Amino acid sequence: MKLEIARALFLVAGLAVTTIAVAAWEQPKLVVFSKAEMAEQCALPRLIKPQTAKVQPDHDLLLFLFGMRQGLRPFG
């Protein structure tokens, strides 16, 4: 096989792989949902009301996260 033919085949194969990768990489676009659209998609019974509970932060978890952050600093 001539070198020119081999180069052309490798170029075509590379472009095919790149095209497939780009097609697979395509991500959905950002969409803003309105309240009316959400009502159609996930209709909740009117008898159910959202529960509002006060959430208290876990101070041990906050201290743990602060300690982990301090450990990420470089030495010196």
Side-chain angles (χ1 to χ4, degrees):
M1 185 184 312
K2 290 186 175 182
L3 185 61
E4 293 84 15
I5 296 173
R7 283 183 183 169
L9 287 176
F10 282 122
L11 177 66
V12 169
L15 289 175
V17 168
T18 305
T19 304
I20 292 171
V22 167
W25 188 262
E26 183 180 338
Q27 297 178 355
K29 297 178 182 178
L30 294 175
V31 178
V32 177
F33 291 106
S34 69
K35 209 172 194 179
E37 291 174 355
M38 292 301 289
E40 293 172 1
Q41 291 182 1
C42 182
L44 293 175
R46 294 181 186 236
L47 299 176
I48 297 176
K49 295 183 180 178
Q51 298 177 356
T52 56
K54 291 187 178 181
V55 178
Q56 298 294 328
D58 186 7
H59 295 291
D60 293 334
L61 178 63
L62 293 176
L63 185 61
F64 172 73
L65 291 175
F66 179 73
M68 293 296 290
R69 176 66 183 109
Q70 295 300 318
L72 292 176
R73 289 187 180 173
F75 295 113

